């Protein structure tokens, strides 16, 4: 056996198509990886094979993905199987890859190595200031609308000058072009970039500096891009530039899971890969290891109705499994009750709460479901809610760290200059910013010499005091004598921020706990990164963190999230509520064919998140955004072969002849029947001191009972799970004594 055969034998556990993808190393390669087909396994093993075969050193391999969570998983798995030096593989997101390059060469574009990365909130603050400066009324053109347009232009790599050229007589477009131009100027003055700039500035760096491009082209002998169907025009341009020398570009993706058009992703990148990269090999991974045969057949039945696709059919050696349950409820409240009851029944039979996920088309759907889960005492988490780093006090403290790291960051400086209160009001800061814009300097520079400007004479002493505080902290950071945690404590000490919270905020205890938790996060970061744990690295990590990066599958609670957030995840049991035309697919997407295709891909993603059981839920009437609607069954349900479906609940069954009322509907829903008298709830039967039995939580004692409208809030001390708060009408407990 030759050395090559010996190395290939190490990958014998992979199926034949996976092995083909691993061993096809030279030239452009498109791996069409169906849902649950082991694409991460293929990526990891492909990198391991390249290293073990001596085709490249680990540092010559670049692996790009979309989330920090995915990049972290990729990196740890590469290190586990890649052998010595595998930790030198560049495994990172698009944004962190570009940030790393720009930290080294950003001076070529006028930035320092300490440049700040603005998140959405920072960009909004800045754009609000710009619209005021341009005298543009928010009612005519909102800051959100302007930023959305700018992001689209950046995705297409269009500059403010390009937009001005095309504006012609369109006054709205002219205003956007002006705001775009000023926005970019302010970013540069503040030594800051937004997320789109990270990629576009890297492209600009490469196109203007042949030596820098040449260095990275030579360095990266093999480039791999995960989730290629989610790339936009600028990301395509970036990987095209980087891969030009060696031509060893391998992209992994699934055209059937392209669901981020609203973020600028273009499915054309994956559909036209062979045309753009001549001689490309195409390998299809169609064996699914995740789901039952029924779930896959349902997914195939839906997605085959799309025309914009390369075509593949998922299959599995897993059992056929349960049918897909299509349940019809009378309203969104009954839909939520069905979900909570099904979960409680499953947990009573030995399931874990973490086996269940509720995936919805829009965040507004979560309200009724959250209420039902809470009232039933079911632990749950909403992914996509208020992130830790979005909390006011955390934004304040990270803003201090950002300004200490980069004093020219005007947006963050404006946030903290009067937190705690220093009697420096908005009027004063508007004058500071206007002066800074006039003289072409940053706001901190104006603050340092405030007494030199007559219009600032009243606040000059306070502004200069603040500048001295920031400069002193900046010197401490630059000295290298302080760790990030020590620097953080210096900021807390010199700003007296905790006492400010105590004086100003009613919920100061929780806010101080959050401040301390940030300290814990900094300490953990230092432990994880050792000598590489710089302030800049920490700030970059948290600025590039997405909500899904915090998802922890080990926590025993039901997960709730949008379908868009769920891509890449899997759960034993999945509920998809709102399966109605007008909700999913949404009203806006039904008319436009390309939009409906994307919506169908989103349905395909949702269906293939389920491993064992799938529930598709719909209602006869639904209140959403304050209006009650009576929607038809989602066309996506109709696209699932009928033999794969079992129908439950209170519904009209759709047939080729139209709508027919089933026997269950006749029994449960009669619009002409006399209304039964309303019976009082039995919640008052529970009293303090009662011993009760709950089918999931076991035996407990009622320690408080608080009447709330027609219900009673019960606090119960359970023997096994501790104290829980339940609503009596939802609890359905047996009173033992």
């Amino acid at each position: 056996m030759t050395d090559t055969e010996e190395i290939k034998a190490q990958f014998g556990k992979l199926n034949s198509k996976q092995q083909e993808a691993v061993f096809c190393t030279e030239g452009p390669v498109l791996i069409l990886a169906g849902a649950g087909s082991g694409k991460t396994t293929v990526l990891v093993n492909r990198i391991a094979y390249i290293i073990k075969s001596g085709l490249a050193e680990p540092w010559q391999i670049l692996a790009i993905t979309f989330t920090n969570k995915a990049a972290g998983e990729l990196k740890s798995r590469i290190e586990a199987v890649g052998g010595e030096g595998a930790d030198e593989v560049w495994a990172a997101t698009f944004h962190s890859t570009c940030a790393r390059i720009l930290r080294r060469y950003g001076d070529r574009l006028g930035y320092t190595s300490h440049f700040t990365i603005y998140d959405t909130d920072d960009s909004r603050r800045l754009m609000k200031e710009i619209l005021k400066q341009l005298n543009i009324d928010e009612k005519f053109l909102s800051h959100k609308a302007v930023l959305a347009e700018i992001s689209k232009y950046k995705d297409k790599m269009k500059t403010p000058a390009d937009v001005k050229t095309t504006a012609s007589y369109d006054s709205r477009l002219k205003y956007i072009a002006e705001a775009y131009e000023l926005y970019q100027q302010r970013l540069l003055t503040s030594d800051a970039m937004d997320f789109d700039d990270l990629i576009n500035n890297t492209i600009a760096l490469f196109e203007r500096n042949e030596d820098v491009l040449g260095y990275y082209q030579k360095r990266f002998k093999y480039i791999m891009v995960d989730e290629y169907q989610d790339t936009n025009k600028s990301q395509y341009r970036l990987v095209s530039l980087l891969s030009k020398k060696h031509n060893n570009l391998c992209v992994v993706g699934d055209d059937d899971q392209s669901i981020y058009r609203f973020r600028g992703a273009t499915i054309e990148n994956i559909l036209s890969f062979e045309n753009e990269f001549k001689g490309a090999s195409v390998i299809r991974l169609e064996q699914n290891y995740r789901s039952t045969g029924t779930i896959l057949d349902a997914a195939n039945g839906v997605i085959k109705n799309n025309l914009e696709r390369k075509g593949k059919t998922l299959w599995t050696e897993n059992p056929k499994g349960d049918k897909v349950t299509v349940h019809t409820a009378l309203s969104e409240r009954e839909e939520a009750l069905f979900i909570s009851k099904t979960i409680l029944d499953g947990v009573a039979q030995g399931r874990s709460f973490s086996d269940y996920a509720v995936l919805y088309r829009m965040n507004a759907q979560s309200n009724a479901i959250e209420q039902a889960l809470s009232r039933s005492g079911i632990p749950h988490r909403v992914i996509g809610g208020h992130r830790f780093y979005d909390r006011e006090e955390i934004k304040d403290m990270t803003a201090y760290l950002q300004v200490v790291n980069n004093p020219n960051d005007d947006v963050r400086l404006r946030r903290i200059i009067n937190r705690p209160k220093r009697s420096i009001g908005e009027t004063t800061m508007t004058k500071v910013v206007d002066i800074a814009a006039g003289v072409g300097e940053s706001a901190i520079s104006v603050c340092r010499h405030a007494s030199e400007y007559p219009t600032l004479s009243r606040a000059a002493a306070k502004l200069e005091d603040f500048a001295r505080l920031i400069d002193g902290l900046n010197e401490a950071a630059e000295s290298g004598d302080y760790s990030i945690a020590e620097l953080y404590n210096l900021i807390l000490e010199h700003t007296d921020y905790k006492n400010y919270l105590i004086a100003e905020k009613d919920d100061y205890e929780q806010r101080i706990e959050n401040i301390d938790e940030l300290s814990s996060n900094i300490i953990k970061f230092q432990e994880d990164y050792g000598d590489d744990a710089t302030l800049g690295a920490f700030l970059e990590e948290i600025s590039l963190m997405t909500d899904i990066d915090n998802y922890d599958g080990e926590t025993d609670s039901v997960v709730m999230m949008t379908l868009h957030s769920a891509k890449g995840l899997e759960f034993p049991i999945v509920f998809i509520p709102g399966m109605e035309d007008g909700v999913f697919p949404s009203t806006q997407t039904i008319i436009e064919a390309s939009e409906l295709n994307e919506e169908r891909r989103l349905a395909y993603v949702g269906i293939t998140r389920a491993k064992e059981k799938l529930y598709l839920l719909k209602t006869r009437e639904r209140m959403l955004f304050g209006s009650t609607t009576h929607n038809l069954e989602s066309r996506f349900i109709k696209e699932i072969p009928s033999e794969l479906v079992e129908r439950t609940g209170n519904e009209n069954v759709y047939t080729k002849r139209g709508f027919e009322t089933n026997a269950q509907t006749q029994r449960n829903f009669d619009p002409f029947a006399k209304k039964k008298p309303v019976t009082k709830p039995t919640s008052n039967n529970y009293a303090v001191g009662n011993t009760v039995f709950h089918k999931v939580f076991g035996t407990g004692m009622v320690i408080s009972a608080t009447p709330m409208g027609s219900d009673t809030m019960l606090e119960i001390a359970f023997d096994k799970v501790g104290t829980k708060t339940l609503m009596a009408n939802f609890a359905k407990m047996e009173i033992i004594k």
Side-chain angles (χ1 to χ4, degrees):
M1 187 182 283
T2 65
D3 288 346
T4 303
E5 288 172 336
E6 220 172 278
I7 292 167
K8 285 188 174 182
Q10 296 175 27
F11 301 90
K13 290 182 180 178
L14 304 178
N15 68 41
S16 59
K17 282 292 179 183
Q18 288 175 332
Q19 287 184 31
E20 184 183 346
V22 166
F23 302 145
C24 184
T25 58
E26 306 310 300
V29 181
L30 169 60
I31 301 173
L32 285 171
S37 62
K39 69 179 178 65
T40 306
T41 297
V42 167
L43 266 176
V44 168
N45 282 280
R46 192 173 190 272
I47 291 168
Y49 175 71
I50 289 169
I51 294 170
K52 289 179 178 180
S53 300
L55 295 171
E57 295 296 327
W59 53 267
Q60 293 178 300
I61 301 170
L62 173 63
I64 301 176
T65 187
F66 270 81
T67 67
N68 289 320
K69 188 179 180 70
E73 181 189 352
L74 194 62
K75 201 166 180 63
S76 62
R77 288 177 64 175
I78 290 167
E79 289 172 17
V81 302
E84 190 177 346
D87 59 335
E88 293 181 23
V89 172
W90 267 39
T93 64
F94 269 105
H95 291 111
S96 56
T97 297
C98 291
R100 188 170 174 180
I101 293 168
L102 291 167
R103 294 283 177 209
R104 184 171 179 180
Y105 291 106
D107 60 317
R108 306 268 187 114
L109 300 175
Y111 294 89
T112 74
S113 60
H114 293 294
F115 68 81
T116 299
I117 301 170
Y118 276 7
D119 63 16
T120 305
D121 187 51
D122 299 320
S123 293
R124 285 176 180 171
R125 282 170 174 267
L126 179 55
M127 186 51 70
K128 281 180 181 178
E129 288 180 22
I130 287 168
L131 293 184
K132 277 184 186 176
Q133 191 176 335
L134 294 174
N135 293 316
I136 298 173
D137 191 336
E138 276 267 354
K139 291 176 184 176
F140 169 70
L141 195 58
S142 74
H143 67 281
K144 287 182 182 179
V146 176
L147 286 169
E149 290 299 316
I150 289 173
S151 185
K152 287 177 186 175
Y153 291 132
K154 288 186 177 182
D155 283 347
K156 297 171 183 173
M157 294 179 292
K158 289 190 174 182
T159 65
D162 296 330
V163 181
K164 276 187 174 179
T165 304
T166 57
S168 187
Y169 297 105
D170 187 335
S171 60
R172 185 175 181 274
L173 202 53
K174 282 182 178 178
Y175 285 131
I176 290 172
E178 279 184 59
Y180 184 8
E181 184 174 46
L182 191 50
Y183 177 70
Q184 292 306 119
Q185 287 172 6
R186 290 285 299 276
L187 283 172
L188 187 59
T189 304
S190 296
D191 196 16
M193 302 183 199
D194 64 18
F195 291 134
D196 295 321
D197 287 332
L198 290 173
I199 294 171
N200 284 357
N201 283 341
T202 305
I203 293 169
L205 174 70
F206 288 160
E207 290 180 338
R208 297 176 199 172
N209 299 272
E210 286 186 18
D211 60 325
V212 178
L213 176 59
Y215 168 77
Y216 285 106
Q217 283 180 333
K218 186 178 178 182
R219 172 176 180 144
F220 295 127
K221 194 173 178 183
Y222 292 93
I223 297 173
M224 275 158 267
V225 182
D226 193 12
E227 305 287 8
Y228 191 67
Q229 77 281 347
D230 295 333
T231 54
N232 58 30
K233 188 174 180 181
S234 58
Q235 289 161 339
Y236 157 76
R237 177 68 179 149
L238 180 71
V239 294
S240 297
L241 285 169
L242 282 171
S243 62
K244 226 162 201 173
K245 179 175 176 63
H246 296 291
N247 202 32
N248 294 327
L249 173 64
C250 171
V251 302
V252 183
D254 183 1
D255 50 312
D256 291 333
Q257 294 188 70
S258 179
I259 60 172
Y260 294 122
R261 183 176 177 177
F262 67 97
R263 289 184 191 164
T266 170
I267 193 172
E268 285 75 22
N269 284 352
I270 195 166
L271 294 178
S272 62
F273 185 83
E274 298 103 305
N275 295 330
E276 298 296 328
F277 299 92
K278 301 299 180 186
S281 304
V282 180
I283 301 163
R284 285 174 168 79
L285 304 180
E286 296 173 300
Q287 183 176 357
N288 176 286
Y289 292 91
R290 174 191 299 157
S291 305
T292 65
T294 295
I295 290 169
L296 293 186
D297 290 345
N300 288 330
V302 172
I303 201 63
K304 73 179 183 183
N305 293 281
N306 266 7
L307 300 177
E308 290 180 339
R309 63 190 297 255
K310 288 187 150 316
K312 63 183 174 311
T313 303
L314 294 181
W315 61 276
T316 186
E317 293 178 349
N318 293 339
K320 195 74 178 167
D322 293 343
K323 287 187 175 184
V324 175
T325 295
V326 174
H327 180 81
T328 305
L330 289 175
S331 67
E332 74 281 356
R333 289 194 171 207
E334 287 205 7
E335 180 183 65
L337 283 172
F338 174 81
I339 292 171
S340 60
K341 183 182 182 303
T342 304
I343 292 170
L344 285 174
D345 288 345
V347 173
Q349 292 165 19
R351 283 278 186 189
S352 298
F353 288 112
S354 57
D355 288 346
Y356 297 89
V358 185
L359 312 178
Y360 33 81
R361 176 63 183 85
M362 57 188 95
N363 280 310
Q365 291 174 254
S366 69
N367 186 34
I369 300 164
E370 263 202 278
Q371 285 186 30
L373 297 183
S374 296
R375 290 170 179 176
S376 301
I378 296 173
H380 59 280
R381 290 170 298 151
V382 180
I383 306 295
H386 206 45
R387 285 197 321 138
F388 176 75
Y389 287 102
D390 287 338
R391 293 183 171 107
E392 181 186 10
E393 61 277 8
I394 300 302
K395 294 281 279 185
D396 286 348
M397 292 315 300
T398 54
Y400 267 106
L401 288 168
Q402 293 278 13
V403 172
V404 168
N405 187 59
N406 170 18
N408 294 324
D409 186 343
D410 288 356
V411 170
R412 264 65 173 265
L413 182 141
R414 192 162 184 172
R415 179 186 182 94
I416 60 173
I417 198 162
N418 209 33
R419 295 189 189 185
K421 290 181 178 176
R422 299 183 175 92
S423 300
I424 304 173
E426 277 298 306
T427 304
T428 299
M429 279 313 298
T430 300
K431 290 176 184 176
V432 169
V433 170
D434 288 346
I435 292 168
V439 298
E441 293 183 1
S442 63
I444 192 72
S445 180
V446 173
C447 289
R448 288 187 188 113
H449 310 287
S451 56
E452 297 175 15
Y453 301 99
T455 56
L456 299 177
S457 57
R458 279 182 152 186
K462 292 162 190 160
L463 292 169
E464 289 173 357
D465 281 347
F466 177 76
R468 277 193 289 274
L469 169 67
I470 296 301
D471 289 342
L473 290 167
N474 179 255
E475 283 176 25
E478 294 284 345
S479 70
D481 296 335
Y482 297 88
S483 67
I484 314 170
E486 289 167 340
L487 187 64
Y488 180 70
N489 288 331
L490 273 181
I491 293 170
L492 285 172
E493 180 187 337
H494 286 280
T495 60
D496 203 21
Y497 189 83
K498 286 186 178 180
N499 281 329
Y500 155 71
L501 291 177
I502 292 168
E504 296 290 329
K505 307 292 181 182
D506 292 334
D507 56 346
Y508 66 86
E509 295 101 333
Q510 178 64 51
R511 292 173 185 266
I512 289 174
E513 283 178 11
N514 290 336
I515 292 294
D516 292 338
E517 183 63 20
L518 178 57
S519 179
S520 300
N521 289 358
I522 291 170
I523 291 167
K524 286 173 192 169
F525 176 81
Q526 290 176 167
E527 289 170 354
D528 290 344
Y529 285 81
D531 294 340
D532 295 327
T534 63
L535 175 58
F538 173 73
L539 294 170
E540 185 171 302
E541 177 168 281
I542 64 174
S543 68
L544 296 176
M545 190 176 287
T546 61
D547 191 60
I548 203 68
D549 294 325
N550 295 320
Y551 168 66
D552 178 10
E554 300 300 312
T555 305
D556 190 23
S557 64
V558 175
V559 173
M560 297 173 60
M561 64 176 79
T562 64
L563 286 152
H564 282 100
S565 297
K567 193 162 80 68
L569 302 176
E570 58 184 46
F571 308 91
I573 302 168
V574 167
F575 299 92
I576 305 180
M579 291 295 294
E580 303 143 32
D581 274 6
V583 179
F584 189 32
S586 64
T587 306
Q588 299 93 321
T589 63
I590 289 173
I591 303 165
E592 172 94 29
S594 60
E595 294 278 356
L596 184 59
N597 282 340
E598 173 134 340
E599 201 81 343
R600 187 174 281 110
R601 292 194 290 269
L602 188 58
Y604 174 83
V605 166
I607 292 168
T608 54
R609 297 314 93 199
K611 295 164 71 174
E612 301 169 27
K613 178 67 182 176
L614 175 67
Y615 292 90
L616 303 178
L617 313 173
K618 60 193 179 77
T619 63
R620 289 173 63 98
E621 67 174 41
R622 180 181 300 277
M623 179 172 278
L624 203 58
F625 307 120
S627 299
T628 299
T629 56
H630 299 80
N631 300 314
L632 294 175
E633 177 175 282
S634 171
R635 62 197 65 201
F636 302 146
I637 290 179
K638 297 168 190 164
E639 291 170 355
I640 298 173
S642 58
E643 65 272 13
L644 303 177
V645 172
E646 65 170 2
R647 290 177 179 269
T648 64
N650 206 314
E651 70 168 315
N652 286 336
V653 179
Y654 181 81
T655 69
K656 289 181 181 177
R657 290 173 294 176
F659 285 97
E660 293 181 356
T661 307
N662 67 12
Q664 189 174 2
T665 302
Q666 288 177 330
R667 287 196 304 272
N668 295 339
F669 184 77
D670 183 354
F672 301 104
K674 289 182 180 179
K675 288 186 177 179
K676 293 181 181 178
V678 177
T679 57
K680 289 184 178 179
T682 58
S683 58
N684 290 332
N685 292 341
Y686 299 105
V688 174
N690 281 157
T691 300
V692 295
F693 178 77
H694 188 284
K695 65 181 178 182
V696 172
F697 305 131
T699 305
M701 178 180 284
V702 178
I703 57 176
S704 76
T706 308
M708 297 186 72
S710 61
D711 207 342
T712 300
M713 185 172 71
L714 303 173
E715 195 176 359
I716 304 169
F718 288 102
D719 297 340
K720 293 180 180 177
V721 297
T723 302
K724 283 191 172 288
T725 302
L726 306 176
M727 298 306 291
N729 289 345
F730 285 73
K732 293 184 170 49
M733 296 178 295
E734 178 188 347
I735 299 175
I736 299 173
K737 62 179 181 180

